[in-house]
């Protein structure tokens, strides 16, 4: 191979135009660049929206690994896990896919899915190996995307996009319910409970529940919830039974509900259901609100509340309107020292009192304020006749002492209470028991035993063996006698007699004596009114009398004095002496004791008369008295007028005396002289003798006996009056009633004895039957005896029925009903 | 072909190239033809004294390879799902994980094959291309460098092969499954582009001096 010689190839410089020589291969790097940029842009564009979810803790959440799922489909990844600024919570930054980002609005919820093994089953098993993931839930309507969310550690019950209704239950005890407990409707799970929480005031435990559609449409005001937690043991005649709803409710508790009546009212917003302890309580309790939602009141009782417990009913005329919530005591400082009060707290359901559904405490208290002023009071009452359990009863009393609802700031209003009539019930029951206890049962038994012994001895007697022959005849007679209609009719007659007696008593009662007495008293009252009116005219009469006395009488007296002086000259000494003697006789008469007894008799008579004023009402004596007083008044007025004429009269009289009398005297003197001549002495003697005879008459024993007779007459009259008064209708009525009462008592006593008599008769019959049986089952004697005894038994039954009839209604003896 | 020539050329300065000798060598079989011969009489391939577009192709492929190398490192190479937990790892992340697990040897292999070799290739090719472009005459060291780059380029595919084998073998559904990520494709493309770039380089340009500066 020869050495190559350098060629003369001309090397020309390369064209400067870079584009002409540009190789096609340059497409490749630009393509690569474009593809890379495209990938970068795509991954940037597809990285999705960043949201932040805060959790209590981030247990199991790992940045870059933990996924976010929606309906178990991965829609995002946790990018970052950090704390909030105050380190209280963990913030998980999640990159979610763009296609679901628009749906994640403020309604969205996130929770961590962890493996969970509970009584309701195993969930989240896939996360055992793969780690936890975050489950999200949101509705299918795009909304305004939100950035921050608060996640929970447990799945929320009401997830967005899940139809149903969220309700709230209230209960007193939250120990038996827990998160996730099932809500059952006729044993089918239709919802779940959330975590129980305490109410703001701490009185109740509230728990939210979510009822899935379509079961939530069953919720109405008629819905009652009850606790089905645990199991129920019952041991009875049917054996031992264990009852529980489901394994889940056994372990975690459960709640069932049902409607206690159809077509319940729809639920108002914010309605809180009451969770009852037992189904029977829930079904029985028609209170719309439970004790925790009722309006609290307190009642102060001054008597023992033994037998009253929390949970007892509060009734209004038998309708349950509330429950007793608590019973407590309190020291009240009074002026007379501390006083112990018994306060019973009650919870009243406004709706049971007829108030509107949305009535709150204000309306309820207002209603009770009015009701208390109208007479509503609380009192204790027994649940039943035999038990000592009490309940609180709201009653409206017409005669209640007026009071008001006592309202103190910071505590429930206090309803006024009244004494109950519990003690009467107890006393009555005790009386009944004591009476039963006092029945002479033992004696009766002893007598029965004695009777049986006697009968037995009789039956063993050999003489009795010979008796049947003659006994048959005797029994036939007896049978005829017993079968006699007259004897059968005896009870009817007794009943008729009792009815007659009853009618008699009723007649006496309806006789109207009392009414008469009342009308008499009314008349007396009227009479007193008349007297009063009449006494009003007395002052005028008195005034007339005074005027008469002061003005006219002196003049009259002066004139009369003149007349007297003139008359003094007249010779009347003997006449005077005779008159004196007569007066002496009269004085002696008066001095007699019998005469002195007259005033007392008259006084007594006056008293009697006074006592019968009421009975002489018809005659209008008082009116007559009044009118007579008025007449007297008029008469006195006439006297007054007349007395004004008296001076003239006396002047005339004086003139007559001064001028005419001397003449007259002269004439008289002459006449006297003439008379003296005319055996005046004889005349005087005769007059004197006449007076003496009068004196003798007056002084005679017959005349002396006259006062005694008068006295006797007055005494008799008084006795008659007393008799009239004391023998009045009232006493007769009383006596009659007393007799009737005695008769009723006697009947009652006899009735008391009737059962014993009946029992003894029945025992006797039974024993006798036993004895007779020993004589042969089919013998003639036996048959006869049996039939006779049956008759006796029938008679005894008739008497027994009568006794029972009287016993059932002893009142019929008295009232005839 | 030209092993002896190269050895001689190292020792004899200045080098007499075929071009200066008025000849043209076949790039495939090495047979030397007189200048002007269009095709090789031995193997039939086209003959050219110098490939005038060589540098353009080198740069183009090199840039493409470098561009595509970026996502190969940013995006995950492997998506490993173990018991439902998916873990994505990039190349460097995988190396760090391996170091954390104590597999320093494996980590070293992966690191050399996936990072050092590609980056060295970029640098080496760029260095050679720049040197040719600036008209500096090369030495035998440069040629050895080129040969080394061309030789080592294929070994960069070891990562891609591992990913491919793992993806094919480890498909145990839930327990464990491995899927290639975007970076696997990117890395494979990057290695391929780099190899094409290296192949596009006409080593004869190493010996050329620029015009007006004949050695």
């Amino acid at each position: 191979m020869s050495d190559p010689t350098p060629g003369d190839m001309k090397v020309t410089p390369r064209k400067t135009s870079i584009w002409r020589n540009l190789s096609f291969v340059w497409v490749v790097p630009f393509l690569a660049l474009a593809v890379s940029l495209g990938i970068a842009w795509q991954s940037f564009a597809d990285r999705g929206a960043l949201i932040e979810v805060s959790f209590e803790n981030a247990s199991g959440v790992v940045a870059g690994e933990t996924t976010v799922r929606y309906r178990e489909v991965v829609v995002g990844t946790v990018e970052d896990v950090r704390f909030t600024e105050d380190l209280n919570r963990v913030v998980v930054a999640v990159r979610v896919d763009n296609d679901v980002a628009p749906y994640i609005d403020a309604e969205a919820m996130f929770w961590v899915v962890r493996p969970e093994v509970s009584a309701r089953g195993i969930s989240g098993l896939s996360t055992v190996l793969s780690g936890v993931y975050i489950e999200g839930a949101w509705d299918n309507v795009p909304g305004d995307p939100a950035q921050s969310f608060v996640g929970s550690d447990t799945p929320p019950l009401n997830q967005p996009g899940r139809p149903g209704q969220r309700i709230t239950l209230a209960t007193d005890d939250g120990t038996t319910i827990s998160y996730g407990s099932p809500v059952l409707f006729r044993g089918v799970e239709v919802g779940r409970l959330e975590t129980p929480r305490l109410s703001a005031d701490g009185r109740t435990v509230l728990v939210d529940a979510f009822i899935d559609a379509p079961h939530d449409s069953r919720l109405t005001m008629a819905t009652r919830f009850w606790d089905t937690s645990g199991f129920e043991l019952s041991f009875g005649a049917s054996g031992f039974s264990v009852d529980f709803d489901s394994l889940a409710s056994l372990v975690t508790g459960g709640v069932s509900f049902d409607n206690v009546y159809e077509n319940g009212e729809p639920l108002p917003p914010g309605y809180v259901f009451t969770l009852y302890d037992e189904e029977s309580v829930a079904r029985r309790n028609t209170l719309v609100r439970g004790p925790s939602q009722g309006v609290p009141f307190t009642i102060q009782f001054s008597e023992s509340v033994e037998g009253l417990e929390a949970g007892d009913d509060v009734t209004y005329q038998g309708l349950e309107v509330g429950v007793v919530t608590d019973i407590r005591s309190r020291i009240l400082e009074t002026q007379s020292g501390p006083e112990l009060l018994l306060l019973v707290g009650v919870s009243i359901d406004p709706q049971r009192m007829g108030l509107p559904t949305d009535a709150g405490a204000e309306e309820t208290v207002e209603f009770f304020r009015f009701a208390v002023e109208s007479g509503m009071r609380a009192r204790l009452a027994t649940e039943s006749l035999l038990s000592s359990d009490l309940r609180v009863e709201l009653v409206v009393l017409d005669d209640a002492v007026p009071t008001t609802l006592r309202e103190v700031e910071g505590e429930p209003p206090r309803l006024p209470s009244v004494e109950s009539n519990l003690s009467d019930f107890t006393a009555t029951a005790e009386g009944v028991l004591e009476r039963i206890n006092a029945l002479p049962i033992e004696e009766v038994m002893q007598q029965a035993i004695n009777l049986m012994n006697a009968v037995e001895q009789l039956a063993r007697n050999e003489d009795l063996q010979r008796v049947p022959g003659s006994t048959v005849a005797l029994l036939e007679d007896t049978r005829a006698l017993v079968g006699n209609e007259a004897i059968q009719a005896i009870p009817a007659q007794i009943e008729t007699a009792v009815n007659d007696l009853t009618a008699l008593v009723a007649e006496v009662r309806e006789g109207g004596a009392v009414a008469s007495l009342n009308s008499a008293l009314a008349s007396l009252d009227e009479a007193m009114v008349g007297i009063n009116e009449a006494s009003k005219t007395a002052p005028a009469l008195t005034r007339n009398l005074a005027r008469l006395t002061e003005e006219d009488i002196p003049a009259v007296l002066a004139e009369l004095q003149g007349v007297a002086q003139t008359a003094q000259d007249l010779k009347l000494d003997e006449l005077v002496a005779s008159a004196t003697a007569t007066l002496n006789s009269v004085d002696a008469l008066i001095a007699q004791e019998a005469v002195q007894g007259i005033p007392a008799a008259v006084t007594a008579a006056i008293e009697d008369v006074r006592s019968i004023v009421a009975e002489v009402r018809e005659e209008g004596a008082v009116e007559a008295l009044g009118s007579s007083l008025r007449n007297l008044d008029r008469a006195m007025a006439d006297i007054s007028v007349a007395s004004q004429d008296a001076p003239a009269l006396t002047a005339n009289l004086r003139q007559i005396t001064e001028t005419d009398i001397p003449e007259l005297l002269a004439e008289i003197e002459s006449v006297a002289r003439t008379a003296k001549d005319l055996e005046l002495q004889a005349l005087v003697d005769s007059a004197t003798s006449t007076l003496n005879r009068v004196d003798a008459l007056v002084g005679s024993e017959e005349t002396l006996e006259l006062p005694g007779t008068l006295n006797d007459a007055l005494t008799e009259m008084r006795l008659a009056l007393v008799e009239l008064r004391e023998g009045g209708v009232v006493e007769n009525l009383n006596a009659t009633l007393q007799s009737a009462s005695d008769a009723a008592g006697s009947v009652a006593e006899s009735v008391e004895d009737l059962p014993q008599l009946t029992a003894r008769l029945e025992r006797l019959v039974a024993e006798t039957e036993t004895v007779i049986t020993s004589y042969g089952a089919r013998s003639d004697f036996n048959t006869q005896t049996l039939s006779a005894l049956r008759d006796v038994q029938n008679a005894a039954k008739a008497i027994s029925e009568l006794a029972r009839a009287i016993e059932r209604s002893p009142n019929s003896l008295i009232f005839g009903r | 072909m030209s092993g002896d020539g190269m050895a001689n050329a190292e020792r004899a300065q200045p080098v007499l190239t075929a071009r200066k000798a008025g000849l043209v060598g076949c790039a495939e079989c090495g047979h030397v033809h007189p200048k002007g011969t269009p095709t090789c009489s031995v193997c039939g391939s086209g003959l050219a004294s110098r490939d005038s577009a060589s540098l353009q192709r080198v740069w183009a492929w090199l840039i493409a390879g470098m561009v595509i190398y970026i996502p190969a490192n940013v995006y995950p190479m492997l998506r490993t799902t173990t018991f439902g937990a998916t873990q994505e790892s990039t190349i460097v992340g995988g190396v760090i994980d391996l170091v954390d697990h104590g597999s320093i040897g494996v980590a070293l292999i992966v690191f050399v094959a996936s990072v050092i070799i590609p980056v060295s290739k970029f640098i080496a090719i760029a260095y050679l291309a720049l040197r040719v472009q600036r008209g500096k005459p090369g030495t035998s060291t440069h040629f050895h460098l080129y040969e080394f780059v061309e030789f080592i380029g294929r070994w960069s595919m070891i990562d891609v092969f591992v990913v491919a084998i793992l993806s094919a073998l480890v498909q145990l559904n839930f327990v464990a499954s491995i899927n290639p990520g975007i970076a696997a494709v990117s890395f494979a493309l990057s290695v391929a582009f780099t190899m094409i770039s290296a192949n596009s380089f006409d080593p004869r340009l190493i010996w050329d001096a620029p015009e007006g500066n004949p050695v």
Side-chain angles (χ1 to χ4, degrees), chain B residues 103-115:
Chain B
S103 307
I104 296 178
V106 180
L108 202 62
I109 292 173
V110 171
F111 186 69
V112 168
S114 301
V115 179

Side-chain angles (χ1 to χ4, degrees), chain A residues 660-681:
Chain A
D660 298 339
I661 290 292
E663 294 175 1
L664 183 63
L665 283 174
E667 286 180 2
I668 290 174
E669 253 178 283
S670 66
V671 171
R673 278 194 297 274
T674 309
K676 192 178 288 184
D677 299 337
L678 292 178
E679 293 180 352
L680 187 64
Q681 187 62 44

Side-chain angles (χ1 to χ4, degrees), chain A residues 3-14 18 21-30 32-36 39-41 43-44 64-65 69 126 129-131, chain B residues 16-23 32 35 49 52-53 55-61 63-65 67-69 71 75 82-87 174 182 186 193 196 211:
Chain A
D3 284 339
T5 58
D8 53 354
M9 185 172 65
K10 182 177 177 143
V11 177
T12 57
R14 200 168 293 144
I18 196 170
N21 296 323
L22 195 63
S23 170
F24 181 74
V25 80
W26 280 103
V27 174
V28 174
F30 284 107
L33 188 64
V35 168
S36 295
I39 290 172
W41 182 85
S43 56
F44 176 80
E65 288 187 12
R69 304 188 187 189
S126 62
L129 299 175
S130 66
Chain B
L16 175 66
T17 62
R19 185 181 186 180
K20 286 178 178 173
L23 298 171
V32 179
K35 194 168 65 181
S49 176
S52 58
L55 278 180
Q56 280 194 45
R57 291 204 305 276
V58 167
W59 283 118
W61 289 114
I63 291 171
V67 164
I68 214 77
Y69 187 70
Y75 285 97
T82 308
F83 298 117
T86 301
Q87 189 172 10
F174 181 74
I182 297 175
S186 301
F193 289 168
I196 294 171
E211 295 289 330

Side-chain angles (χ1 to χ4, degrees), chain A residues 499-556:
Chain A
N499 284 339
D500 290 346
L501 181 61
T502 304
L504 181 64
V505 170
E507 271 181 28
V508 170
R509 193 164 55 91
E510 294 169 357
V514 176
S516 300
L517 189 61
N518 278 338
S519 60
L521 288 172
S523 301
L524 178 61
D525 194 25
E526 289 175 6
M528 293 309 292
V529 171
I531 288 172
N532 197 16
E533 287 179 359
S535 64
K536 285 176 184 170
T537 61
L541 178 65
T542 311
R543 278 197 298 276
N544 285 334
L545 277 174
R547 194 169 64 231
L548 190 65
T549 309
E550 288 175 0
E551 296 174 359
D552 301 333
I553 296 294
V556 175

Side-chain angles (χ1 to χ4, degrees), chain A residues 373-420:
Chain A
E373 286 172 2
S374 304
M376 179 176 278
R377 299 290 182 271
R379 74 179 181 197
L380 295 174
T382 49
E383 286 281 2
S384 68
L385 195 61
L386 294 178
S387 73
S388 63
D389 285 343
L390 296 182
R391 61 186 160 89
V392 176
E393 187 180 41
L394 298 180
V395 291
V396 176
L397 299 176
D398 294 333
D399 54 348
V401 180
T403 182
T404 56
L405 193 66
R406 184 177 167 190
E407 294 174 77
V408 181
E409 189 69 28
E411 59 184 80
R414 189 176 298 172
L415 290 170
S417 67
V418 293
E419 286 280 341
S420 65

Side-chain angles (χ1 to χ4, degrees), chain A residues 24 125 162 165 223 232 278 292 322 387 449 521 543 562 569 601 607 629 677 687 721 723 741 796:
Chain A
F24 181 74
L125 189 63
R162 185 174 167 188
Q165 189 170 354
T223 305
E232 188 177 306
E278 296 175 16
S292 53
S387 73
I449 290 170
L521 288 172
R543 278 197 298 276
D569 297 337
E607 285 180 353
L629 283 171
D677 299 337
L721 287 170
E723 203 172 306
S741 177

Side-chain angles (χ1 to χ4, degrees), chain B residues 62-136:
Chain B
L62 183 64
I63 291 171
M66 290 171 72
V67 164
I68 214 77
Y69 187 70
I70 295 170
N73 276 284
V74 172
Y75 285 97
M77 188 83 171
L78 280 178
R79 183 177 283 116
T80 309
T81 304
T82 308
F83 298 117
T86 301
Q87 189 172 10
E88 294 179 337
S89 50
T90 59
I91 294 170
V92 179
V95 171
I96 293 171
D97 278 350
L98 287 171
V99 172
D100 287 344
H101 285 99
S103 307
I104 296 178
V106 180
L108 202 62
I109 292 173
V110 171
F111 186 69
V112 168
S114 301
V115 179
I116 291 181
I117 293 176
V119 172
S120 307
K121 280 166 65 181
F122 295 145
I123 294 170
I125 293 172
Y127 170 72
L128 290 174
L130 274 176
R131 192 174 177 81
V132 168
Q133 213 162 13
R134 290 180 181 175
K136 291 180 180 176

